[in-house]
């Protein structure tokens, strides 16, 4: 018998887990964030409901979030210690366990689409810096001037980080991350899951630093054997605890539900390395899970059976 209540497709998105610092105009920002997340869910739902693939859904959702200055990915990327933007992203296809990742990008408008090209058009998984750019140019990826990523809000965040550093307080990694990294996970009508994550990394990060977002198994993972996962938070901790793969492994080897596995990865594994952050996940039954140990995680989901929901805090 077919269970009419089981979702046949599902999409979850995030705009990062973090501290949710008080900024000027924070309420207006919240309203705008909710609007963008809702619009992205609506478009994603339209595609998935008409047979679109989970891979297209996660790429498109992340592209939309990269194009918004509100999030720390693409247009709204944070500044590194030299006052530059260095972007990274990854994508994974749960059907074939194929993946693509990029890092060290300064002028690629949508890093997630370059990650997908690496997955689909190269024999490799991870390309960095000049090589990634050359590969992207050869495949017609859209470029912008480095100034495209300049925003006053992220500039202020860098200035504040420099002030704190000069005062000898809160070394990078000890302070809770800001929200803004973006990600998406989806299940499509064909029964396939996919995941995508994109980020500018951490404000004031050292030149050359790479976080978890472009690392398969740390910030992103997808397998039809279990689920699709996208993470956000203190990247070093997510790498050390291989959080994204752990959620899938707990389902595959221990038989946990996606909700239990997501919770265990954050409350157990991530806590073990004293990390802060969160994740979104979806399994092949269309069950969506959110787990985070930060004050804020910008997020939303929609399925074939549930209306779109958007939330920023634990309870709203
Ligand atoms: N995980 C990202 C990084 O460490 C940052 C974030 O999610 O806020 O690069």
């Amino acid at each position: 018998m077919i269970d009419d209540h089981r979702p046949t497709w599902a999409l979850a998105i995030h705009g990062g887990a973090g501290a949710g610092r008080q900024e000027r105009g924070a309420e207006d920002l919240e309203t705008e964030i909710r609007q963008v997340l809702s619009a992205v869910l609506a478009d994603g739902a339209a595609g998935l409901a008409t047979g679109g693939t989970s891979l297209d859904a996660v790429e498109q959702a992340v592209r939309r979030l990269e194009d918004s200055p509100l999030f720390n990915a693409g247009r709204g990327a944070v500044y590194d210690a030299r006052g530059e933007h260095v972007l990274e992203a990854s994508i994974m296809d749960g059907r074939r366990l194929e993946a693509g990742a990029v890092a060290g990008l300064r002028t690629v408008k949508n890093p997630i689409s370059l990650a997908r090209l690496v997955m689909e058009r190269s024999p490799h998984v991870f390309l960095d810096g000049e090589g990634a750019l050359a590969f992207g140019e050869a495949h017609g990826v859209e470029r912008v001037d480095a100034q495209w990523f300049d925003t006053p809000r992220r500039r202020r965040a860098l200035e504040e980080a420099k002030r704190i550093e000069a005062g000898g307080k809160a070394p990078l990694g000890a302070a809770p991350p800001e929200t803004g990294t973006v990600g998406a996970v989806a299940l499509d009508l064909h029964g396939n899951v996919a995941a995508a994550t994109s980020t500018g990394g951490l404000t004031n990060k050292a030149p050359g630093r790479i976080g978890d977002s472009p690392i398969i198994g740390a910030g992103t993972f997808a397998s039809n054997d279990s689920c699709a996962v996208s993470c956000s938070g203190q990247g070093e901790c997510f790498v050390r605890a291989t959080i994204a793969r752990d959620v899938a492994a707990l389902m595959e080897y221990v038989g946990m539900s996606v909700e239990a596995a997501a919770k265990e990865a954050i409350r157990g594994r991530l806590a073990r390395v004293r990390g802060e952050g969160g994740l979104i996940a979806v399994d092949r039954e269309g069950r969506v899970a959110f787990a985070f140990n930060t004050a804020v995680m910008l997020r939303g989901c929609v399925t074939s059976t549930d209306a779109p929901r958007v939330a920023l805090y634990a309870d709203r």
Side-chain angles (χ1 to χ4, degrees):
M1 216 173 79
I2 292 173
D3 176 0
D4 288 332
H5 302 294
R6 188 177 83 74
T8 50
W9 57 262
L11 172 68
I13 58 175
H14 72 80
R21 286 190 195 116
Q22 282 308 318
E23 314 184 42
R24 253 173 292 147
E27 274 171 28
D28 295 346
L29 215 56
E30 265 190 46
T31 308
E32 274 182 67
I33 287 169
R34 287 180 193 273
Q35 280 166 352
V36 174
L37 293 178
S38 299
V40 171
L41 287 176
D43 285 355
L48 286 166
T50 51
T53 67
S54 52
L55 210 49
D56 284 340
V58 296
E59 183 195 0
Q60 283 309 319
V62 167
R63 277 184 70 99
R64 292 275 304 270
L65 298 168
E66 285 176 339
D67 287 342
S68 164
L70 293 172
F71 304 97
N72 172 21
R75 175 96 169 84
V78 297
Y79 291 83
D80 73 3
R82 288 180 302 205
E84 294 175 8
H85 307 279
V86 185
L87 284 62
E88 46 202 48
S90 66
I91 192 163
M92 188 155 181
D93 176 358
R95 183 160 64 113
R96 290 183 298 234
L97 294 186
E98 285 178 354
V102 285
L105 304 176
R106 292 152 196 281
T107 54
V108 170
K109 181 167 168 280
N110 294 104
I112 198 63
S113 293
L114 182 52
R116 185 167 177 180
L117 282 170
V118 170
M119 174 173 79
E120 293 181 337
R121 311 263 183 95
S122 90
H124 307 299
V125 167
F126 199 159
L127 294 183
D128 165 54
E130 273 175 37
L133 184 59
F135 173 81
E137 282 186 318
H139 289 84
V141 95
E142 191 175 351
R143 301 267 311 271
V144 288
D145 291 338
Q147 292 78 5
W148 163 259
F149 304 107
D150 286 338
T151 56
R153 186 171 155 231
R154 300 299 185 192
R155 171 66 69 185
R156 283 197 298 275
L158 176 65
E159 284 162 5
E160 194 195 323
K162 294 277 189 205
R163 257 198 310 277
I164 291 171
E165 201 178 48
K169 278 187 260 158
L172 185 71
E178 290 163 76
T179 58
T181 289
V182 307
V185 294
L187 166 74
D188 63 29
L189 281 175
H190 319 286
N192 299 313
V193 296
T197 311
S198 181
T199 190
L202 300 177
T203 296
N204 202 25
K205 66 184 176 182
R209 181 262 188 191
I210 295 175
D212 61 312
S213 307
I215 297 182
I216 297 300
T220 304
F221 189 76
S223 168
N224 274 5
D225 294 334
S226 47
C227 64
V229 185
S230 171
C231 303
S232 171
Q234 290 163 331
E236 284 71 9
C237 299
F238 279 75
V239 172
R240 287 159 59 208
T242 58
I243 292 296
R245 173 60 198 157
D246 247 43
V247 176
L250 286 167
M251 293 178 67
E252 290 167 26
Y253 301 141
V254 187
M256 279 190 188
S257 68
V258 69
E259 294 91 347
K263 213 179 268 178
E264 176 58 27
I266 296 298
R267 291 204 190 148
R269 292 280 291 177
L270 189 63
R272 171 121 167 62
V273 293
R274 291 185 297 281
E276 292 187 44
L279 64 85
I280 59 174
V282 66
D283 71 7
R284 290 191 80 197
E285 309 292 309
R287 281 185 288 252
V288 171
F290 298 104
F292 54 102
N293 63 7
T294 44
V296 176
M297 182 153 188
L298 316 178
R299 63 200 189 278
C301 67
V302 58
T303 76
S304 60
T305 56
D306 293 304
R309 281 185 293 142
V310 165
L312 312 190
Y313 304 95
D315 56 343
R316 70 199 148 93

